[in-house]
Amino acid sequence: MNDSTPAAPATDSPSLARPQQGEMPFAVVLGKAMTELPRDLYIPPQALEVFLEAFEGPLDLLLYLIRRQNLDILEIDVSEITEQYMRYVELMDAMQFELAAEYLLMAAVLAEIKSRMLLPRAVDVDEEEEDPRAQLIRRLQEYERFKKAAEDIEEMPRLERDTWVASAEPPDLDRARPDPDVDMRELLLALSEVLRRADMFESHHIQREALSTRERMSEVLEKLSGRQFVPFVSLFSAREGRLGVVVTFLAVMELIKEALVEIVQTENFGPIHVKARSE
Amino acid sequence: MSESASMLVQIIEGALLAAGRALTVAQLGELFEEAERPSAVEIREALAVVSERCEDRGFELCEVASGFRFQVRQSLSPWVARLWQERPQKYSRALLETLALIAYRQPITRGEIEEIRGVAVSSNIIKTLHERDWIRVVGHRDVPGRPAMYATTRQFLDYFNLKNLDQLPALAEIRDLETLNAELGFSEPLAAANDGADQTISADLPSAAASTEDASSDAGDSDSADAADPRAPGGAQ
Amino acid sequence: MSESASMLVQIIEGALLAAGRALTVAQLGELFEEAERPSAVEIREALAVVSERCEDRGFELCEVASGFRFQVRQSLSPWVARLWQERPQKYSRALLETLALIAYRQPITRGEIEEIRGVAVSSNIIKTLHERDWIRVVGHRDVPGRPAMYATTRQFLDYFNLKNLDQLPALAEIRDLETLNAELGFSEPLAAANDGADQTISADLPSAAASTEDASSDAGDSDSADAADPRAPGGAQ
């Protein structure tokens, strides 16, 4: 660690931790707005940080250097670019060593390429190994594609800047909430639960027959509602057959037992009338 | 209409729709650089054109207290309202218990339900069941207060795909359901049933009765201690 | 236009404006009772009419990933933007490059993004992209550390006015290295580099492969001194 570098722990200052990741490519340095990249290699030390932020990393810096020479990536003069690149990195080094790690790595790559180019080529050696220059070119090309893609995305029409979703006031709404669904099993479980709670689960038996009787009880009561006397016979329907008649009869008996209906016969063998007790 | 007037109309339309709220004539004017700002009269004229162009469309220009805004036509409310249709909620356990008691013990009064459940039945539950047309008052018991007696309705039977109350699963089946419940590892039977219904059974009602039978026979098969034929009560299908 | 067709057009217009978001053809269908529900074809026909009726208006009908929506015409943005005091958010190059890599190379891990960009990706960028709902984690790569793989979302497409990823601008072409190697007169074949290029190409979106092929033939045509068939390596596609 270089003790002389200004203390800039990554945790304290996000802008220094990854300067090349800064949200703003340019900033105000010593009250002066940086609107352009430096034209020559001299970077005022105070501006280095800002300068670094202008680049998205070593690949971006390399691309910048290549472009400044009006060169195609494929024609880069590794020697010259390396010289320039190293001078930038030296500046960084003097400033803030830890900021420049990724740049230093690139410097090493460049130095390796340069040294290889100086050596005579052995055709049949290292067939397997990729030419570091080709690898660098490929990385630069690949990076450049996405740098361009990012620019394209920036240009794409987008919401809140170029267009807005149209909306209008909805009409007054009658928001009927749909009815909940009920599964028969829920009903059964509810019943079992309530009966168990009532401690009736063991002792209470409801017979299948009783149910149809109870249903008929409801029907009879409904027929009687709001009326004085209803002829007993009118409660029966021949269409229902014998079973129906029996169920109705049992229902009426049950209603009488529960004191829900009153049964009236004014004379022997006369017509029987039924009346709801509470009406 | 001149070109600039047509442009003004478009800008007003765009701004009102982008804002999604009412804008005053002054606010519309502020969309323009001072040098190009149309007069209030021009803006009002343009608003009149905007309004005209809404004829026969799904929306109209309205002037409200806070300015002008586009509104979707009231006549479209039946369709548009479906955009906000809320998901149905689940019924409370209290409601289901009340409904079960009315179904199985009808005709039954509220007092009788409360006696069995051990807690008061809220008026909301009775109201909800009435509104759903699942219960009806079939008479009044001749005791002090003449309480209403409740029974289930045809709509109730229709909803559960039953021809008559006989087709309600017999209480004996509940034991199997309890087994099923335990098998499914639900600690709280009813809450579990609510959740479980969605997952285990496709909740579509026509098949509900059949699934219950399946459930009961499954439970029976998996539990040999269950001596009684679990299919017997299900035979009412 | 029949009366019911005209009504359908109005309902669609009203619903899209009331919703204030994109609606799919299916969602538009759900505005109707099942018995009256228009077919998807009828809805699409009505949408075509809706679109036509926007001509010369301040808004237009657009189809994005989430369906159809009305949008304010881009040409009006200089005026409409004044409705808001704040300037629209600017996004850093780092964020846009990261987003571009995720969009074009999805699914991709943070490590892979860093490899191509040559620098670390700050957690803030990933966080911002998540918060905007533009990216999501679609899985984890089965390598040490099981890094998350990122992909873009429908919200990303909606925000950038896209129907699908195919509508992203085509990636810039990469000239075939083998061809160029020959052009530049290097004696050493750049075999390894070429392998690498193939790998990256296959990872591209469907449309990228075509452009790469174009690129290789362009490069070949431009240099007649090139004796070897320049298309040979490209033929491996």
Side-chain angles (χ1 to χ4, degrees), chain A residues 78 82 86 106-116:
Chain A
V78 176
T82 307
M86 293 306 243
M106 179 59 70
V109 171
L110 287 171
E112 191 206 350
I113 296 173
K114 194 176 159 188
S115 60
R116 279 230 205 169

Side-chain angles (χ1 to χ4, degrees), chain B:
Chain B
M1 194 162 48
S2 76
E3 200 181 317
S4 73
S6 153
M7 191 65 185
L8 178 55
V9 168
Q10 285 196 29
I11 291 169
I12 289 174
E13 282 179 338
L16 288 175
L17 287 172
R21 61 185 163 88
L23 296 174
T24 62
V25 170
Q27 283 169 325
L28 288 168
E30 276 159 25
L31 301 176
F32 297 84
E33 299 270 14
E34 217 169 323
E36 308 172 334
R37 187 164 298 158
S39 68
V41 172
E42 284 167 317
I43 292 174
R44 283 196 176 273
E45 278 169 5
L47 280 164
V49 177
V50 170
S51 179
E52 263 171 45
R53 301 216 290 182
C54 289
E55 209 170 289
D56 201 31
R57 315 257 338 207
F59 51 93
E60 58 198 334
L61 187 71
C62 294
E63 189 173 2
V64 293
S66 48
F68 290 86
R69 72 178 179 200
F70 279 117
Q71 251 173 246
V72 176
R73 283 188 195 281
Q74 188 60 43
S75 58
L76 301 177
S77 157
W79 295 274
V80 173
R82 290 217 176 78
L83 285 171
W84 285 277
Q85 196 158 68
E86 294 170 58
R87 283 193 60 73
Q89 290 191 322
K90 283 282 183 184
Y91 282 134
S92 69
R93 167 193 193 127
L95 182 139
L96 290 170
E97 287 182 4
T98 305
L99 178 61
L101 284 170
I102 295 174
Y104 281 86
R105 303 290 306 274
Q106 57 189 280
I108 188 169
T109 66
R110 189 155 148 180
E112 288 159 352
I113 296 169
E114 288 173 346
E115 205 175 305
I116 299 174
R117 290 194 56 230
V119 286
V121 171
S122 92
S123 298
N124 266 339
I125 287 178
I126 300 292
K127 194 170 142 240
T128 304
L129 289 172
H130 263 303
E131 280 170 357
R132 188 88 197 244
D133 260 342
W134 279 356
I135 64 166
R136 64 199 157 130
V137 172
V138 288
H140 294 266
R141 204 177 281 289
D142 197 16
V143 294
R146 298 183 9 87
M149 287 185 294
Y150 298 102
T152 53
T153 61
R154 169 125 303 272
Q155 284 77 14
F156 169 81
L157 293 176
D158 287 349
Y159 182 86
F160 288 100
N161 217 24
L162 306 169
K163 276 224 244 345
N164 50 53
L165 283 177
D166 278 354
Q167 291 192 334
L168 272 176
L171 212 48
E173 280 177 55
I174 290 171
R175 207 153 37 112
D176 301 319
L177 278 163
E178 289 285 290
T179 313
L180 179 75
N181 211 30
E183 272 173 16
L184 293 171
F186 297 135
S187 53
E188 216 199 341
L190 195 59
N194 282 344
D195 298 344
D198 283 346
Q199 295 153 12
T200 55
I201 291 183
S202 55
D204 46 345
L205 290 151
S207 67
S211 328
T212 309
E213 194 183 27
D214 290 346
S216 74
S217 39
D218 283 349
D221 292 343
S222 63
D223 187 357
S224 52
D226 196 8
D229 179 9
R231 279 172 196 82
Q237 298 291 320

Side-chain angles (χ1 to χ4, degrees), chain C residues 170-211:
Chain C
L171 265 187
E173 297 159 2
I174 284 189
R175 277 177 289 169
D176 184 73
L177 274 178
E178 188 66 22
T179 312
L180 286 153
N181 194 40
E183 275 176 31
L184 295 168
F186 292 139
S187 52
E188 249 180 282
L190 293 165
N194 200 41
D195 287 352
D198 274 354
Q199 276 164 21
T200 53
I201 286 162
S202 60
D204 280 345
L205 293 167
S207 59
S211 38

Side-chain angles (χ1 to χ4, degrees), chain A residues 160-207:
Chain A
E160 296 160 17
R161 186 186 71 180
D162 307 301
T163 184
W164 293 265
V165 177
S167 65
E169 190 70 14
D172 290 333
L173 302 173
D174 179 20
R175 290 188 207 175
R177 174 177 292 196
D179 291 320
D181 288 329
V182 178
D183 191 297
M184 178 54 79
R185 299 194 330 152
E186 293 177 64
L187 211 54
L188 274 173
L189 282 168
L191 183 64
S192 79
E193 188 68 8
V194 70
L195 291 183
R196 191 167 60 185
R197 240 187 14 248
D199 200 22
M200 292 170 72
F201 193 57
E202 291 305 320
S203 61
H204 198 93
H205 293 285
I206 295 174
Q207 301 296 320

Side-chain angles (χ1 to χ4, degrees), chain A:
Chain A
M1 242 350 207
N2 185 349
D3 288 332
S4 66
T5 55
T11 46
D12 283 0
S13 170
S15 71
L16 292 181
R18 293 287 184 197
Q20 57 275 36
Q21 290 296 318
E23 296 293 305
M24 296 287 289
F26 289 95
V28 176
V29 181
L30 302 174
K32 223 181 123 192
M34 296 283 291
T35 53
E36 259 179 74
L37 292 173
R39 291 203 184 281
D40 54 33
L41 285 180
Y42 178 69
I43 308 166
Q46 305 94 320
L48 178 63
E49 200 177 289
V50 175
F51 176 78
L52 274 179
E53 284 178 16
F55 291 108
E56 290 299 322
L59 289 169
D60 200 22
L61 173 57
L62 266 184
L63 276 179
Y64 166 71
L65 294 172
I66 293 163
R67 291 282 169 262
R68 214 177 48 172
Q69 294 179 36
N70 269 326
L71 287 179
D72 191 296
I73 296 177
L74 298 155
E75 296 164 20
I76 48 172
D77 179 337
V78 176
S79 276
E80 198 174 323
I81 290 290
T82 307
E83 301 286 331
Q84 291 188 9
Y85 188 88
M86 293 306 243
R87 266 185 276 171
Y88 278 92
V89 173
E90 274 163 32
L91 267 171
M92 289 177 203
D93 194 18
M95 273 295 289
Q96 294 199 357
F97 186 82
E98 62 270 31
L99 291 186
E102 281 139 347
Y103 289 84
L104 285 173
L105 182 67
M106 179 59 70
V109 171
L110 287 171
E112 191 206 350
I113 296 173
K114 194 176 159 188
S115 60
R116 279 230 205 169
M117 306 280 271
L118 294 173
L119 292 169
R121 287 184 192 178
V123 176
D124 50 308
V125 175
D126 288 346
E127 279 288 334
E128 313 258 307
E129 202 180 316
E130 184 177 353
D131 180 337
R133 186 167 173 276
Q135 196 187 31
L136 177 65
I137 289 172
R138 187 159 53 77
R139 286 190 67 189
L140 281 168
Q141 283 183 314
E142 191 69 353
Y143 172 67
E144 196 180 27
R145 292 174 92 190
F146 289 100
K147 186 180 165 174
K148 174 70 169 46
E151 286 163 13
D152 289 345
I153 286 178
E154 172 68 18
E155 291 303 310
M156 272 156 46
R158 63 180 193 230
L159 291 185
E160 296 160 17
R161 186 186 71 180
D162 307 301
T163 184
W164 293 265
V165 177
S167 65
E169 190 70 14
D172 290 333
L173 302 173
D174 179 20
R175 290 188 207 175
R177 174 177 292 196
D179 291 320
D181 288 329
V182 178
D183 191 297
M184 178 54 79
R185 299 194 330 152
E186 293 177 64
L187 211 54
L188 274 173
L189 282 168
L191 183 64
S192 79
E193 188 68 8
V194 70
L195 291 183
R196 191 167 60 185
R197 240 187 14 248
D199 200 22
M200 292 170 72
F201 193 57
E202 291 305 320
S203 61
H204 198 93
H205 293 285
I206 295 174
Q207 301 296 320
R208 171 162 312 284
E209 290 71 23
L211 258 186
S212 59
T213 309
R214 296 202 84 86
E215 182 175 33
R216 188 55 55 96
M217 284 162 69
S218 295
E219 285 167 15
V220 170
L221 276 175
E222 201 170 39
K223 263 189 201 166
L224 298 180
S225 68
R227 293 206 256 165
Q228 271 302 312
F229 286 95
V230 170
F232 184 59
V233 292
S234 72
L235 298 176
F236 299 87
S237 161
R239 269 191 304 119
E240 292 183 335
R242 184 176 301 175
L243 189 64
V245 171
V246 170
V247 170
T248 304
F249 186 74
L250 285 172
V252 174
M253 292 301 110
E254 190 67 28
L255 287 167
I256 293 168
K257 197 176 104 195
E258 291 190 23
L260 291 169
V261 301
E262 214 173 321
I263 204 149
V264 180
Q265 190 178 30
T266 45
E267 51 184 324
N268 280 352
F269 307 108
I272 299 170
H273 281 84
V274 187
K275 168 181 184 281
R277 284 282 284 261
S278 55
E279 295 299 327

Side-chain angles (χ1 to χ4, degrees), chain C residues 80-101:
Chain C
V80 175
R82 290 214 184 88
L83 281 171
W84 291 273
Q85 295 292 316
E86 288 172 42
R87 313 276 316 144
Q89 194 177 346
K90 286 275 284 178
Y91 294 102
S92 68
R93 268 181 59 199
L95 182 138
L96 289 167
E97 286 182 11
T98 304
L99 180 61
L101 275 159

